[in-house]
C-alpha cells in the first residue's frame, strides 16, 4: 500500500496523509457482494472515472479527465440486461439508477471497477465514491464522504487509483465520522 491508495480503515478512509470520515453500505463489508444487499464489496478496487454535475460543480475545479453527467445519464442495475453495471445514456424501461438527482449525493461520482467491465449478473452494480447524505448515514453499498473531502479525493485520485476495502475494516459497520463532520484530519502516511 502507498499513500496514493484509498484505504478503508476502522477510523475512516486513509488517503494522501489524511483520514477522511466515510460511510459504507448498510449491509457492512462483504466478499460475496450481491445485487441489492446494501453491502460494500471487499477487495482491491480501482477508480475508473470521474463524473460531475456541471450545473452544480465548476469543471475548472476538477481534473481535465472529469466528464459531465448528462440529463439522460443512468447506471444500469438490471442483472439480465446487456448493459448491466455500465453507464447508459437514455432511460430504457428496466432497472436503472438516475445519475442526475435532485439531491447532491451524485453531484460528484468516482465509479469503481467492482464487477466491471465484464459484469457478472447479480454480483452488484453502481459501486461509487460519492457525497454522503449526512455523517454516518449508511449507503446502498458505496463509499460516501463529506463534499469537501470528496472534492479532495476527486482532484487527487485519477483512474487506476487503488481503493482497498478489507472485511472488518469498518468493524462491519460504517467508519466513524469526525465529531463535527468536517474535513479529514491529517494522519501519518
Amino acid at each position: 500500500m502507498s499513500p496514493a491508495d484509498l484505504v478503508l480503515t476502522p477510523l475512516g478512509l486513509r488517503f494522501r496523509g489524511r483520514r477522511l470520515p466515510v460511510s459504507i453500505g448498510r449491509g457492512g463489508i462483504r466478499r460475496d457482494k450481491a445485487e441489492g444487499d446494501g453491502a460494500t464489496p471487499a477487495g482491491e478496487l480501482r477508480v475508473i472515472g470521474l463524473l460531475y454535475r456541471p450545473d452544480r460543480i465548476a469543471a475548472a475545479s476538477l481534473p481535465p479527465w472529469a466528464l459531465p453527467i448528462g440529463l439522460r445519464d443512468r447506471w444500469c442495475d438490471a442483472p439480465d440486461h446487456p448493459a448491466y453495471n455500465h453507464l447508459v445514456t437514455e432511460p430504457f424501461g428496466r432497472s436503472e439508477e438516475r445519475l442526475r438527482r435532485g439531491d447532491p449525493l451524485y453531484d460528484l461520482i468516482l465509479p469503481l471497477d467492482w464487477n466491471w467491465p465484464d459484469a457478472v449478473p447479480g454480483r452488484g452494480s453502481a459501486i461509487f465514491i460519492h457525497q454522503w447524505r449526512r455523517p454516518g448515514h449508511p449507503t446502498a453499498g458505496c463509499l460516501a464522504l463529506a463534499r469537501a473531502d470528496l472534492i479532495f479525493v476527486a482532484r487527487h485520485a485519477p483512474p487506476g487509483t487503488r481503493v482497498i476495502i478489507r472485511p472488518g475494516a469498518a468493524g462491519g459497520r460504517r467508519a466513524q465520522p469526525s465529531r463535527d463532520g468536517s474535513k479529514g484530519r491529517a494522519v501519518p502516511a
Side-chain angles (χ1 to χ4, degrees):
M1 287 186 276
S2 84
D5 295 329
L6 289 148
V7 181
L8 185 63
T9 76
L11 298 175
L13 192 64
R14 192 177 68 224
F15 183 58
R16 295 194 171 262
R18 296 184 184 193
R19 188 179 314 123
L20 310 172
V22 63
S23 291
I24 65 169
R26 66 182 177 279
I29 298 171
R30 299 181 57 113
R31 288 195 185 279
D32 60 345
K33 167 90 183 120
E35 188 67 44
D37 65 4
T40 299
E44 183 178 301
L45 310 177
R46 298 210 181 254
V47 171
I48 60 171
L50 175 59
L51 305 171
Y52 70 98
R53 285 281 301 264
D55 57 324
R56 295 182 178 172
I57 296 179
S61 69
L62 299 173
W65 48 269
L67 299 174
I69 295 171
L71 293 172
R72 304 174 92 183
D73 287 346
R74 275 105 167 117
W75 201 270
C76 177
D77 59 7
D80 62 341
H81 193 277
Y84 177 56
N85 202 26
H86 285 79
L87 178 68
V88 293
T89 56
E90 292 188 24
F92 55 91
R94 294 183 181 245
S95 187
E96 63 197 20
E97 189 158 0
R98 188 180 176 127
L99 297 184
R100 243 179 129 97
R101 298 170 52 126
D103 63 29
L105 267 62
Y106 285 3
D107 285 0
L108 193 61
I109 306 168
L110 289 112
L112 303 179
D113 69 349
W114 173 257
N115 199 24
W116 182 95
D118 300 317
V120 174
R123 192 161 181 235
S125 64
I127 302 298
F128 305 143
I129 300 174
H130 63 75
Q131 184 173 321
W132 63 24
R133 192 171 305 279
R134 62 183 176 275
H137 190 272
T139 69
C142 298
L143 298 175
L145 304 168
R147 189 177 190 101
D149 293 338
L150 180 60
I151 290 171
F152 172 77
V153 169
R155 289 178 178 159
H156 297 93
T161 299
R162 290 190 320 167
V163 180
I164 300 169
I165 303 169
R166 302 203 193 293
R173 303 175 318 244
R174 57 192 168 272
Q176 291 295 91
S178 64
R179 292 185 192 271
D180 63 2
S182 65
K183 283 197 265 185
R185 301 172 299 277
V187 294

